[in-house]
Amino acid sequence: MTTLIVFDLDGTVVDSEAAAAAAFAEAFRERGGIGEPPVESFLAMAGTPFEQICLALGLPVGMPAAFRQASRRRLHLVRTFPGMAELVETLVQRGVLTAILTGKDRPRTVETLGRLHLDHLFAQVVTPDDPPAGKPSGDGVRWLRRSLGANRVVMVGDSPVDIRAGAAGGAHTVACLWGAGSPTALAAAGPDHIVATPAALSDFLLEFVTPRHSPEVPTQSVRMIA
């Protein structure tokens, strides 16, 4: 059986929240936004393609380009969450397929992965610039499953759109509590599992992919792993 673990990028693998919030506020003001930048609303939609966020929040014209430029100037502030690179590397060493499904555009995704020396760890990367519809559609998960020939898929993310995309694509879903998504919103999205720390995620995934001890993920209740 071939297992594929699909990771969201920002808020799950990498810590970019402070840099993204500052870039968003800068772009909002630069493009003539009125009042305070709606940073919290922006963060609550993490994982959604940025153009969709702009439409949903009624943001000023030109925000996508301005935001991406401001984000690039802050790329040096982005860090990998402790333990995440080691987890993915261990999964790869055990023959597990890994991939990224992100709401970030492809150029910044590639730049981020390269700068943090994570690019070699993922067999595929899907962004809003690619053919599958962006999250919360399940198209990206289904495309990755077919492309990589996986029999079962786990979707790991920190936002409700990650959980909805994973469920729509037929994946087991794991919600992470160290990103931008609130625990209440994540629980409401109905994940199969909720994990509080990268160490807890590592424990769950390494058990899940071990053939002799692969647990069935419950479909009617959520397990919280501290």
Side-chain angles (χ1 to χ4, degrees):
M1 179 175 288
T2 303
T3 300
L4 166 63
I5 312 295
V6 181
F7 293 90
D8 171 56
L9 181 60
D10 297 281
T12 301
V13 177
V14 303
D15 183 1
S16 59
E17 183 174 327
F24 180 87
E26 177 185 320
F28 183 83
R29 295 188 176 102
E30 177 188 317
R31 300 308 303 172
I34 299 173
E36 287 299 309
V39 174
E40 292 303 318
S41 297
F42 158 62
L43 292 176
M45 298 184 71
T48 306
F50 192 71
E51 281 78 4
Q52 293 181 27
I53 294 176
C54 290
L55 289 174
L57 299 182
L59 298 178
V61 174
M63 273 289 292
F67 170 69
R68 285 164 183 152
Q69 290 170 4
S71 295
R72 279 201 168 93
R73 291 193 290 273
R74 293 170 172 82
L75 184 58
H76 65 285
L77 301 175
V78 177
R79 298 288 184 269
T80 306
F81 281 111
M84 289 303 295
E86 293 81 359
L87 168 58
V88 180
E89 191 163 0
T90 299
L91 290 169
V92 171
Q93 289 172 350
R94 294 194 182 189
V96 178
L97 296 168
T98 59
I100 290 287
L101 177 60
T102 179
K104 187 194 292 288
D105 59 278
R106 177 164 284 277
R108 288 188 303 134
T109 297
V110 171
E111 192 172 1
T112 299
L113 292 172
R115 184 180 182 89
L116 296 175
H117 308 292
L118 300 171
D119 46 343
H120 67 288
L121 294 177
F122 300 100
Q124 292 280 4
V125 174
V126 173
T127 77
D129 298 327
D130 301 311
K135 296 180 285 188
S137 166
D139 286 359
V141 174
R142 286 188 289 267
W143 186 90
L144 285 166
R145 182 196 294 268
R146 292 193 302 269
S147 174
L148 295 172
N151 302 108
R152 62 176 182 170
V153 182
V154 179
M155 177 73 207
V156 182
D158 72 303
S159 73
V161 297
D162 297 320
I163 304 308
R164 292 199 292 270
H172 300 311
T173 55
V174 181
C176 304
L177 297 185
W178 55 87
S182 74
T184 301
L186 282 166
D192 295 306
H193 281 70
I194 299 176
V195 290
T197 65
L201 175 65
S202 179
D203 289 343
F204 170 72
L205 289 181
L206 293 178
E207 181 181 7
F208 188 90
V209 303
T210 301
R212 289 179 301 169
H213 304 289
S214 297
E216 289 296 325
V217 179
T219 57
Q220 300 300 320
S221 62
V222 174
R223 287 177 57 199
M224 171 66 185
I225 304 176

